[in-house]
Amino acid sequence: MKKRISLLLIHTMLISLLIMLMSLFPISVPVLAAERHIPLGVVESVYGRNTTSQFIYFGKNKGTDPIKWRVMAVGDDKATLMSEYILEYSNYGISANRNWSDAEICRYLNSQHSFASGGFLTTAFSSVEQAKILIYSNTEESRYNSPGTFTPNQKIVLPSLDEVKDGGTFGMNESDRAALEAEGFRGTPNDVMYKKSWWLRTPGELYDAALSVRSSGSIDYHGNYVGDRLGVRPAFKLNLFDVLFTSDAAGNGVKTGTPNSMLNRVVHTNNEIKLTLIDSNQGLVSAATTSKYIQREDTEIEINYQGAITGTNQYLSAMITDNSDALKYYGTIKSLANSEDGSGTAEVTIPRDFEDGWKLKIFTEQLNGDYQTDYASVPVEVTLTAKSKQNSPGGGSSSSGRSSSEGGTSTLSLNAEQVINRLSKDGKVAIINLFKEYMPYTFFSTDLTLEQLKVFTNNKFTDKQLQEILGNPQLLQKLGIDDSMISRTVFLKPIHNPSFTDVKLDHWAYGSIIEAASLGLVAGMPDGSFAPDNPLKVADTFVFLDKVLLLNNITEPKLPRSTVELYINDKNHWAFNHMASIGSKLSEETLMTISQLGDAPISRELLAQVLYEITKDRLEATREVRYFTDIQSSSYKEAIDYCVSTRLLSGTSSTTMSPQKALTRGELMSVLIKLESMLK
């Protein structure tokens, strides 16, 4: 007999923190059952290559081929993974550079400098996968048999000597270290003797050498010249906090999306797995039971849902977990392929073998196929309670952290402080790192906005809980956020009826200068003049530009603070926050060029590049690009053409732009007012 029970939806974000309560599920010996099932894996700690080693498929090499990673260590809600195969061949560095954090291979693996958009991190992993990769380590490491240390504080690294040596932390031996090339990979070393040899991140004893592993698996303690092309086997640390569950990497046929109200029993299986990750971009579904009790028979429950993300390979899914949070049943219950599927109803059958306290969890899911990571929303959970003679509809007491309505509806009601107390150490560290790295340098307000706080807290709180944090800054301190991570507040000082002794009504930039002063973007000189023809240095230029962006609520950085402060590092400079704010919105290549100017004036062509990078995709071209005879060989021609087409810049004559001419105060005021008008 089936009894249909209706579920009532509540606000989508009300219980998004529930995933914090989930843990990875214990694994048993492999079993294949005759019944319908979903094979389940778990990230566990296994050392060395043997029959019980575990492998995770995560990301795609060159954006195409799934990458197989060996699990080297697990602990504190994170797993250390190393590529099972050589993914490509590369030099370690150029110009005899064996310093890991400045080496060519480090920059390539982490998509830094000239590899910003074409490096390994950005081409191998989706944005969701990238967000789950942690900074590898903040612990200093020694160079091999030579003085000095370095810190591998990047996301993607090469393995170190201490990790892969006999008796090292990865538990490897010589046969374990012998590497094969990834299937389908066609890269080549620069010498046949280096085929299947691969780099370690540990610098060697000579100034131009880094350690490596030979094709036999033995370690070359002398190291190789950093200009040689050896194999690359990256390693990284995966945040397990947002792994909803794992499943067979391929071939099981169940996790390919055949919706059915009958869920599949979970059975443990082989050692090659893929992940289902929590993705904040997935639509969230919320539900509450209208009855607390379910018949001890197969019971079909009706789900009313709203706000689900729709599209190709999108599904409404369900799982049932037991009292220890182990996954017992899973399945997709409805396809969300069409836009009209964003709201509606679905059914899920509760199996008769459930026990009191087991939980039904509903979520949206994107299934991406064999060997590829799947994405899911934060699940919404309903506690299951068996109906008995002693039970009456709507009766029973509420559990800790829950409240019961008259009809028995149960909803989560943890406050912000309770959530903070339940965060793991790594969960807090991840939030602290987001504040440290991506908090904007400047704001017009002393307070964070709800949306900003949502990003910096890694989507671990509901809107209601974030409002609690905004209203009680001491909760930020409980998260480990100190004042040094908060942005500097900027105040504009508009000048009423401005006038300057050297800017008359007939001055070509009179209107722009007066308007900029009226807005509080700029002030004159102490003697009452404006000096419109004076050349501008980087500091003043960036202060003025940053104020215009702040006026238009443009604060988000492109570069993390750790990168910005490699180039803008004088925190005692009067304009540090403004300079760093604009610098964080540039490419690293442009930021490096800016930092090398020192006290020299900024050129018109370099201003064009800065404007191009901070406004690209925000402004529309409204006139045709004009031909200027003196920009054809400029490194910044594309940026100049963009600025001309958007009317930010004009030529110094009908045929010239004077790209290398120093930018003047008057010229920048004209740009600022145009930019302010266009960004509104």
Side-chain angles (χ1 to χ4, degrees):
M1 181 181 75
K2 293 185 178 181
K3 181 177 179 181
R4 185 175 296 271
I5 298 175
S6 178
L7 292 185
L8 174 66
L9 269 199
I10 60 174
H11 187 277
T12 353
M13 292 300 291
L14 186 61
I15 57 174
S16 64
L17 60 95
L18 281 171
I19 189 58
M20 299 174 187
L21 307 179
M22 295 194 66
S23 60
L24 292 176
F25 315 115
I27 193 166
S28 67
V29 294
V31 174
L32 291 178
E35 63 187 328
R36 286 165 50 84
H37 69 277
I38 172 71
L40 172 75
V42 63
V43 182
E44 63 179 357
S45 179
V46 195
Y47 301 106
R49 179 184 293 141
N50 52 61
T51 56
T52 61
S53 291
Q54 190 178 41
F55 302 95
I56 295 176
Y57 283 87
F58 193 78
K60 299 177 183 178
N61 193 26
K62 307 297 183 183
T64 302
D65 300 317
I67 305 174
K68 184 177 182 179
W69 304 88
R70 194 192 314 185
V71 179
M72 307 308 298
V74 173
D76 296 327
D77 284 337
K78 58 177 175 278
T80 303
L81 309 181
M82 183 175 76
S83 170
E84 178 66 1
Y85 301 110
I86 292 172
L87 299 185
E88 59 186 300
Y89 288 92
S90 171
N91 58 46
Y92 185 97
I94 56 177
S95 303
N97 185 356
R98 63 161 186 168
N99 296 316
W100 163 250
S101 295
D102 293 326
E104 191 89 350
I105 186 61
C106 175
R107 294 176 178 179
Y108 166 72
L109 289 174
N110 292 279
S111 299
Q112 297 172 343
H113 298 267
S114 58
F115 303 108
S117 60
F120 180 77
L121 181 66
T122 52
T123 58
F125 305 108
S126 70
S127 58
V128 180
E129 290 172 325
Q130 290 179 50
K132 313 307 179 187
I133 300 175
L134 302 169
I135 296 297
Y136 196 80
S137 174
N138 292 313
T139 302
E140 289 189 349
E141 296 182 358
S142 299
R143 304 171 192 278
Y144 175 66
N145 198 28
S146 62
T149 59
F150 68 97
T151 304
N153 58 355
Q154 299 83 23
K155 285 195 168 187
I156 310 295
V157 300
L158 297 175
S160 72
L161 173 64
D162 287 339
E163 288 170 332
V164 306
K165 68 183 181 182
D166 289 8
T169 56
F170 283 0
M172 302 181 79
N173 56 36
E174 186 167 316
S175 63
D176 295 331
R177 290 188 295 264
L180 301 175
E181 296 162 342
E183 184 177 352
F185 172 60
R186 296 292 181 265
T188 56
N190 66 293
D191 190 293
V192 67
M193 69 177 291
Y194 299 140
K195 188 172 178 63
K196 298 181 183 178
S197 296
W198 47 282
W199 287 115
L200 300 177
R201 69 175 178 266
T202 308
E205 57 184 326
L206 300 178
Y207 75 95
D208 60 357
L211 300 191
S212 61
V213 176
R214 300 183 180 96
S215 58
S216 65
S218 64
I219 295 174
D220 187 340
Y221 284 92
H222 293 290
N224 278 80
Y225 171 59
V226 292
D228 290 338
R229 287 171 55 82
L230 270 63
V232 178
R233 294 183 70 184
F236 70 92
K237 293 188 186 295
L238 176 68
N239 184 3
L240 299 180
F241 195 70
D242 286 334
V243 176
L244 182 56
F245 65 97
T246 67
S247 54
D248 269 5
N252 61 72
V254 178
K255 208 166 186 296
T256 54
T258 304
N260 194 307
S261 67
M262 298 291 291
L263 301 182
N264 308 301
R265 183 183 293 275
V266 166
V267 178
H268 302 293
T269 184
N270 68 37
N271 64 346
E272 292 194 0
I273 63 177
K274 55 181 276 187
L275 308 179
T276 298
L277 296 178
I278 294 297
D279 174 14
S280 60
N281 294 316
Q282 283 285 313
L284 297 175
V285 179
S286 296
T289 55
T290 55
S291 172
K292 296 182 69 69
Y293 307 108
I294 295 174
Q295 194 73 29
R296 180 66 78 187
E297 298 174 6
D298 286 350
T299 303
E300 189 175 81
I301 290 180
E302 184 176 87
I303 306 285
N304 295 310
Y305 67 93
Q306 294 177 358
I309 190 170
T310 61
T312 305
N313 301 328
Q314 289 290 151
Y315 297 89
L316 191 68
S317 298
M319 62 167 61
I320 294 177
T321 58
D322 66 14
N323 291 321
S324 64
D325 240 354
L327 182 57
K328 306 298 288 186
Y329 290 88
Y330 160 85
T332 56
I333 58 176
K334 184 175 181 177
S335 170
L336 303 176
N338 302 313
S339 57
E340 58 267 26
D341 295 326
S343 299
T345 62
E347 288 75 39
V348 59
T349 299
I350 306 301
R352 65 183 62 197
D353 67 346
F354 83 88
E355 299 178 10
D356 284 359
W358 285 21
K359 291 180 174 63
L360 168 67
K361 302 184 181 185
I362 309 295
F363 51 99
T364 59
E365 190 174 17
Q366 181 185 98
L367 303 184
N368 295 312
D370 289 351
Y371 304 107
Q372 298 183 56
T373 304
D374 296 330
Y375 307 128
S377 67
V378 175
V380 174
E381 70 176 38
V382 176
T383 300
L384 305 177
T385 305
K387 183 176 181 180
S388 67
K389 293 180 180 180
Q390 288 73 34
N391 297 147
S392 60
S397 60
S398 62
S399 59
S400 175
R402 293 180 176 272
S403 61
S404 295
S405 71
E406 185 174 348
T409 298
S410 182
T411 58
L412 193 68
S413 57
L414 294 177
N415 61 37
E417 186 168 3
Q418 288 173 315
V419 177
I420 292 171
N421 291 337
R422 295 183 184 211
L423 282 175
S424 67
K425 178 181 178 182
D426 280 352
K428 289 183 179 180
V429 168
I431 291 174
I432 291 171
N433 286 338
L434 282 171
F435 268 89
K436 283 182 177 179
E437 289 285 43
Y438 293 102
M439 186 75 171
Y441 282 93
T442 54
F443 276 135
F444 267 158
S445 169
T446 56
D447 298 322
L448 287 167
T449 67
L450 183 69
E451 287 305 312
Q452 289 163 339
L453 189 58
K454 186 180 297 184
V455 171
F456 298 140
T457 54
N458 214 13
N459 292 294
K460 300 299 184 187
F461 298 82
T462 66
D463 285 3
K464 181 179 178 181
Q465 292 151 0
L466 292 176
Q467 292 286 7
E468 290 180 51
I469 295 173
L470 289 174
N472 184 4
Q474 289 185 343
L475 291 176
L476 282 178
Q477 295 178 9
K478 289 201 69 172
L479 275 169
I481 309 302
D482 59 46
D483 291 341
S484 66
M485 300 179 200
I486 306 301
S487 306
R488 175 188 171 186
T489 303
V490 176
F491 300 95
L492 295 186
K493 297 180 179 179
I495 301 174
H496 301 290
N497 300 317
S499 63
F500 303 101
T501 57
D502 54 351
V503 181
K504 303 303 180 184
L505 202 58
D506 59 352
H507 190 282
W508 71 271
Y510 174 82
S512 297
I513 292 171
I514 297 303
E515 187 172 352
S518 299
L519 290 171
L521 300 177
V522 66
M525 302 298 180
D527 62 0
S529 65
F530 186 81
D533 297 326
N534 281 10
L536 277 171
K537 298 177 182 178
V538 170
D540 290 296
T541 303
F542 280 18
V543 168
F544 299 148
L545 280 174
D546 193 38
K547 289 179 179 179
V548 172
L549 296 187
L550 288 172
L551 270 177
N552 292 276
N553 297 315
I554 299 174
T555 60
E556 63 275 11
K558 296 177 183 176
L559 296 177
R561 287 190 174 202
S562 57
T563 300
V564 173
E565 291 171 19
L566 291 173
Y567 307 101
I568 301 176
N569 47 35
D570 183 1
K571 295 188 176 181
N572 294 319
H573 192 285
W574 68 273
F576 169 78
N577 283 78
H578 287 296
M579 293 168 65
S581 178
I582 295 295
S584 71
K585 299 172 178 63
L586 303 176
S587 67
E588 190 168 356
E589 183 178 1
T590 300
L591 182 58
M592 184 188 305
T593 301
I594 290 290
S595 70
Q596 294 169 349
L597 284 180
D599 285 333
I602 188 171
S603 66
R604 285 166 56 85
E605 64 179 358
L606 191 50
L607 172 70
Q609 184 66 27
V610 170
L611 291 171
Y612 174 66
E613 293 185 17
I614 65 177
T615 68
K616 189 178 180 183
D617 299 327
R618 296 181 186 274
L619 305 182
E620 293 183 5
T622 57
R623 68 179 176 191
E624 292 184 1
V625 175
R626 298 179 60 183
Y627 180 84
F628 293 102
T629 58
D630 56 354
I631 70 169
Q632 303 310 307
S633 61
S634 172
S635 301
Y636 304 106
K637 182 179 183 302
E638 181 182 1
I640 294 172
D641 286 343
Y642 166 84
C643 289
V644 171
S645 69
T646 55
R647 300 181 184 271
L648 283 176
L649 286 181
S650 300
T652 51
S653 75
S654 61
T655 58
T656 60
M657 175 56 69
S658 305
Q660 296 179 8
K661 174 182 174 293
L663 175 70
T664 67
R665 285 168 59 85
E667 289 171 336
L668 184 59
M669 294 309 107
S670 176
V671 170
L672 294 181
I673 298 307
K674 292 176 184 176
L675 181 58
E676 158 65 7
S677 175
M678 295 174 188
L679 290 175
K680 282 183 178 178

